[in-house]
Amino acid sequence: MAGGARGAPVGVSPADKTPNVPTDQPVVVSATEGKLKSVQVEGGKAGPLKGILSSDGTRWRSLGTARPGTSYAVTTVSVDAAGKQRETKSAFSTVKGNKTFDIKTITPNKDDTGLTVGVGMPVMIAFDAPVTDRVSVERNLSIHSSRPVEGAWHWFDDQHVDFRPQKYWPAHTKVRVEAKLAGVRGGPGMYGKRDVRVDFKIGRKQITKGSTDEHVLVVRRDGEKVRTMPMSAGQGGQWKYYTTSGVHLAMSREPVTVMTSPGIGPGQAGYYSLTVYNTVRISNSGEYVHSAPWSVGSQGNSNVSHGCVNISPDNAAWFIKNTLIGDPIIITGSPRKLEPTNGWGHWQEDWPQWLKWSSLKDGPTMILRH
């Protein structure tokens, strides 16, 4: 404590002149007698630390994280029972950092998916550097929604962490993603560069189901059947051109896609190169639901494709127009299963499996209302 007129005694943590304070250590100010009138924690170019005062006015606590390698000045004004004020000043400095990490991409966002997505949509964050302090980072990632939903984060590796609900999002839900990572420790000497926020909304509940045995796709929207489409799936055979079984998500909508045989070059048996129209990607292994005028005769009765789901040109034009990124497309009947890491195969893991890869062991995240 320092300087000023007599008034209520005040305690400040970190103590005056404390060096190397962790960026996630909160600043706590307590009035042992009387009340706090104001608290300011200034970090120069790094900006101030905001905080919240207790309802009885005796305790103030900073919110968020401080910046590394920064000197902070703490100024408090307290008042005692007689109305006398006292100003105290102290200072501390945070641990130095020699590098930063940032969010490289976050999905969904308006640039690649639009503002409205399907009920199966995960939140996917990719970092530009490996994160070794996963707990610190995950604690500063939050999801808020207009309807209460239970969900959790899942680390696929040190640079990718994704969020999904336990069950599909409720239709027409508004969602906000907040990554408050500025100053957050991501590893030894490495701290977050900035905060990021993304808002999006969930559309109607549309789920498409298809069977490689029955050769039909059925689209239901909000529980009502809206379209039945004959289909042809992967033929299997020598090159194992199977359509994967599992819960796929619509990953992109592409008016034109050039498809080539994986691992087979021109002049080799099994080679193909096709220009295909009205395609909806459902995996990273080259699977799409797309227009296939050449297989209309087989659609509805047999599997002749190289692994994609073939439908007629009219049905493909309708499907690409009426599909949102993140819509579930569930395929059954194939001996090949969709891997959880193949595209957006997040729903291939049951809930206990999903939770195993969260760094926070105190249970799933309860999403709060806005």
Side-chain angles (χ1 to χ4, degrees):
M1 293 183 290
R6 290 186 61 189
V10 171
V12 179
S13 175
D16 189 25
K17 300 179 182 177
T18 300
N20 299 318
V21 174
T23 57
D24 59 355
Q25 179 178 327
V27 178
V28 179
V29 179
S30 301
T32 55
E33 299 176 15
K35 295 184 179 182
L36 295 169
K37 186 174 182 181
S38 67
V39 177
Q40 292 181 319
V41 183
E42 297 290 342
K45 292 183 179 179
L49 285 181
K50 296 181 179 180
I52 186 169
L53 185 65
S54 63
S55 59
D56 63 1
T58 64
R59 184 179 174 88
W60 184 95
R61 180 186 176 93
S62 64
L63 301 174
T65 54
R67 301 299 182 266
T70 301
S71 295
Y72 284 91
V74 182
T75 303
T76 74
V77 177
S78 60
V79 59
D80 64 15
K84 292 183 178 180
Q85 294 189 50
R86 178 174 184 171
E87 182 182 86
T88 67
K89 293 181 180 292
S90 65
F92 66 91
S93 59
T94 55
V95 63
K96 293 181 179 180
N98 52 32
K99 54 184 176 179
T100 61
F101 73 97
D102 197 4
I103 289 179
K104 184 178 179 180
T105 60
I106 184 167
T107 305
N109 64 69
K110 64 182 180 180
D111 295 327
D112 60 8
T113 66
L115 295 176
T116 303
V117 298
V119 296
M121 189 74 210
V123 175
M124 296 170 283
I125 295 178
F127 298 107
D128 65 356
V131 171
T132 56
D133 192 343
R134 295 182 179 184
V135 172
S136 179
V137 169
E138 191 173 329
R139 281 178 174 162
N140 287 278
L141 302 175
S142 62
I143 304 286
H144 305 273
S145 69
S146 58
R147 300 183 183 189
V149 180
E150 187 172 359
W153 294 95
H154 179 295
W155 290 85
F156 283 96
D157 57 47
D158 284 348
Q159 289 186 242
H160 297 87
V161 62
D162 296 357
F163 178 97
R164 56 155 263 215
Q166 182 178 8
K167 300 178 181 179
Y168 294 143
W169 295 98
H172 311 298
T173 298
K174 295 179 181 179
V175 183
R176 171 168 292 172
V177 184
E178 290 186 325
K180 296 183 178 180
L181 298 177
V184 170
R185 184 180 186 274
M190 183 176 73
Y191 295 88
K193 186 176 182 179
R194 61 186 175 124
D195 296 337
V196 176
R197 191 182 82 182
V198 172
D199 292 290
F200 62 93
K201 55 186 176 181
I202 307 299
R204 74 289 175 274
K205 182 179 182 179
Q206 180 168 298
I207 298 176
T208 300
K209 293 184 178 181
S211 168
T212 63
D213 296 325
E214 298 176 1
H215 314 291
V216 65
L217 279 178
V218 177
V219 183
R220 284 185 167 84
R221 185 178 300 158
D222 298 323
E224 299 293 326
K225 186 186 295 186
V226 294
R227 191 90 169 184
T228 300
M229 301 178 289
M231 61 168 265
S232 179
Q235 61 188 281
Q238 177 182 356
W239 293 283
K240 297 182 180 180
Y241 289 140
Y242 291 108
T243 304
T244 55
S245 285
V247 183
H248 305 75
L249 297 179
M251 299 172 62
S252 66
R253 296 165 294 189
E254 304 170 20
V256 182
T257 304
V258 177
M259 300 181 180
T260 57
S261 50
I264 302 174
Q268 295 179 298
Y271 172 77
Y272 64 85
S273 179
L274 300 171
T275 300
V276 183
Y277 299 92
N278 288 333
T279 71
V280 176
R281 178 184 280 273
I282 61 173
S283 78
N284 276 345
S285 57
E287 295 173 290
Y288 293 79
V289 179
H290 67 77
S291 171
W294 56 86
S295 70
V296 168
S298 298
Q299 294 166 21
N301 59 75
S302 56
N303 295 324
V304 299
S305 85
H306 295 113
C308 291
V309 176
N310 288 183
I311 54 179
S312 71
D314 286 347
N315 281 329
W318 181 91
F319 193 64
I320 193 173
K321 181 179 179 181
N322 286 276
T323 295
L324 294 175
I325 301 305
D327 277 348
I329 300 168
I330 304 169
I331 304 296
T332 58
S334 170
R336 181 187 171 195
K337 305 301 180 184
L338 177 69
E339 305 89 350
T341 55
N342 186 354
W344 299 350
H346 296 60
W347 297 95
Q348 287 297 93
E349 292 186 347
D350 62 25
W351 191 236
Q353 288 176 314
W354 184 264
L355 290 178
K356 283 175 61 178
W357 296 100
S358 170
S359 290
L360 303 182
K361 302 305 180 184
D362 52 355
T365 300
M366 294 301 298
I367 305 176
L368 306 177
R369 292 178 181 268
H370 278 311

